[in-house]
Amino acid sequence: MAKRSWGFRPRRPPSTRNRKPWRAPLSLALLVNASAIGYRLSEGWDWGDCYWMVMITLSTLGFSDGDTQTLSAGGRLVTTLLILGGLVVVQISIQGVLGLSESGYFRRLRERRFRRWLFTMHNHVILCGYGRIGREIAEQLTRENVPLLVVEMDVERREAAEERGLAVLMADATLDETLVEAGIHRCRALVAALPNNASNLYVVLSARGMAPNCRLIARSDSEEAERKLRLAGADQVVSPYVSGGRAMAATALRPLAVTFMDLLVGSDCEVEEFLLSSEPADLGSLNGASLAELQLGARSGALVLAIVPPTSSDGGEPRLYRGTRSNPAGPTLIANPGGDTRLAPGQMLVVMGSQQQLETFTDLLGPAIKSVDVMAN
């Protein structure tokens, strides 16, 4: 026969699912009504006086009301039982609150409220990663009053972002469900600023697959990572080292231009890229028309800074940031185009103006526009 074990089994902690948060209010309701009925039977008071007596007894205010009648022996007994019952109800309530706190009920309640609020966010920027680069990005965006959602897994970085008053979703940005919850289908842009190139690549791949029209900006630490991120679908890849070097060189060579861009940040002016359709039929009367004939600047108030032709004859889209180390100049740029410059399919117009001026400029181009991207604001 097998030996029987008489060892003690460890007690399992009480399950939080068995806790009944409704016990405290139910016990309080039963106590109040039972005490009121007791005063009604023992003293013969009306219901208003009965419930008033219950309230001043449970609240420990005492019988300071001069209109309170003297209690009989039965009334004293009801009061005694009411005091004892009140202590029990208070204890049950404290245990219920502590049980809910231990089980994480209030934390889950805050999380559900926060996740419901996420569904109301539109035209916001999703920032994946709140490291040194992420902090600077968040500072610039909040200065422009752009709605921002930070996705971060590190607890310390999450607390740092919350101290700045930022909305933080503590989740893994590389997961599809996290991007959906963050509003990838409703955002204006996603910035992958994670410290790991592989993580940024994974985020870009997931985001591009779910939201083909979303603008994706990614951070890279090497030329190889930059190439892979562009192949994955990133609209722009920024290297902190390359950008910092270019900014320092530009400050040394063209300090006025750098100062102008710094002044542009924080103002109501924006610089946008208007990509024209590659189909001549979409341009209509704009195809082949000169800037002097169209009078786009005079009619909208916006300023056409430059025009970039298509990067290739196969319909490649022009982008000012498509330059590489082998071709740092990127596509040919027509700076400060004159009135004789004519519009053509596939061109990109770099335009500066206020938000209202840019909206008017958009209306003037109409169906000729294929896409509009913000360069700087």
Side-chain angles (χ1 to χ4, degrees):
M1 294 178 60
K3 292 185 179 180
R4 198 172 190 178
S5 175
W6 297 96
F8 291 98
R9 294 183 180 179
R11 295 186 59 184
R12 299 175 61 184
S15 174
T16 56
R17 295 184 179 179
N18 295 329
R19 299 185 185 275
K20 301 178 176 57
W22 45 265
R23 288 191 306 175
L26 179 60
S27 302
L28 180 61
L30 291 176
L31 179 64
V32 169
N33 289 282
S35 302
I37 294 174
Y39 284 125
R40 175 78 173 181
L41 297 177
S42 62
E43 304 298 330
W45 297 338
D46 58 38
W47 291 110
D49 291 336
C50 293
Y51 281 105
W52 170 254
M53 190 66 178
V54 173
M55 188 194 73
I56 64 176
T57 302
L58 288 178
S59 61
T60 67
L61 294 177
F63 308 143
S64 58
D65 189 357
D67 296 333
T68 303
Q69 303 178 17
T70 304
L71 294 174
S72 62
R76 294 191 184 96
L77 177 60
V78 173
T79 303
T80 302
L81 295 176
L82 175 59
I83 294 174
L84 295 176
L87 294 176
V88 175
V89 170
V90 169
Q91 183 180 6
I92 294 176
S93 301
I94 293 176
Q95 289 179 349
V97 172
L98 291 178
L100 292 176
S101 179
E102 292 175 358
S103 64
Y105 172 79
F106 296 109
R107 176 179 54 81
R108 293 195 300 270
L109 188 63
R110 290 193 298 269
E111 289 179 355
R112 285 197 295 266
R113 188 182 301 114
F114 175 73
R115 294 178 190 277
R116 286 196 299 266
W117 174 78
L118 287 181
F119 285 101
T120 64
M121 294 191 70
H122 292 274
N123 199 29
H124 59 288
V125 175
I126 302 174
L127 174 60
C128 301
Y130 194 72
R132 289 178 295 179
I133 301 298
R135 288 189 180 93
E136 184 62 29
I137 296 173
E139 289 293 333
Q140 296 293 335
L141 293 177
T142 52
R143 193 176 300 145
E144 299 295 327
N145 296 322
V146 177
L148 177 65
L149 175 63
V150 178
V151 182
E152 180 58 66
M153 279 290 292
D154 187 82
V155 177
E156 294 182 358
R157 293 177 180 177
R158 182 201 65 179
E159 293 176 352
E162 290 177 345
E163 290 177 358
R164 294 283 185 176
L166 302 175
V168 183
L169 176 61
M170 191 171 181
D172 189 355
T174 60
L175 299 178
D176 291 351
E177 58 185 15
T178 300
L179 298 180
V180 172
E181 190 174 12
I184 187 66
H185 300 291
R186 305 184 305 273
C187 69
R188 63 189 296 180
L190 181 143
V191 181
L194 299 172
N196 192 334
N197 288 328
S199 299
N200 290 327
L201 179 62
Y202 210 93
V203 171
V204 170
L205 279 172
S206 300
R208 180 57 70 206
M210 290 186 295
N213 297 325
C214 179
R215 182 175 177 83
L216 303 179
I217 301 98
R219 169 193 172 179
S220 71
D221 293 336
S222 63
E223 184 177 0
E224 182 181 0
E226 177 181 355
R227 179 176 56 83
K228 292 180 179 180
L229 284 167
R230 292 192 186 278
L231 291 175
D235 294 295
Q236 184 171 1
V237 181
V238 179
S239 173
Y241 310 108
V242 175
S243 299
R246 290 177 179 175
M248 296 177 68
T251 304
L253 298 177
R254 305 177 185 88
L256 295 180
V258 177
T259 303
F260 172 76
M261 294 303 297
D262 291 337
L263 293 175
L264 188 62
V265 176
S267 67
D268 59 348
C269 291
E270 294 182 353
V271 179
E272 291 188 354
E273 301 173 351
F274 291 85
L275 179 61
L276 301 182
S277 173
S278 58
E279 298 294 335
D282 295 336
L283 271 66
S285 59
L286 299 179
N287 189 15
S290 65
L291 295 179
E293 296 172 350
L294 297 176
Q295 293 292 315
L296 295 176
R299 296 164 65 185
S300 65
L303 177 63
V304 180
L305 299 178
I307 295 180
V308 184
T311 56
S312 60
S313 60
D314 58 355
E317 295 182 1
R319 285 291 184 269
L320 293 183
Y321 44 78
R322 291 300 186 188
T324 60
R325 295 185 180 181
S326 60
N327 182 21
T332 304
L333 176 70
I334 305 176
N336 191 20
D340 57 345
T341 304
R342 299 184 179 275
L343 300 184
Q347 288 179 339
M348 183 181 67
L349 279 62
V350 182
V351 185
M352 182 182 71
S354 64
Q355 185 175 2
Q356 183 178 1
Q357 291 172 343
L358 293 175
E359 290 177 355
T360 305
F361 194 90
T362 303
D363 296 335
L364 293 176
L365 293 181
I369 299 178
K370 181 178 180 180
S371 65
V372 180
D373 291 331
V374 179
M375 281 186 56
N377 49 10

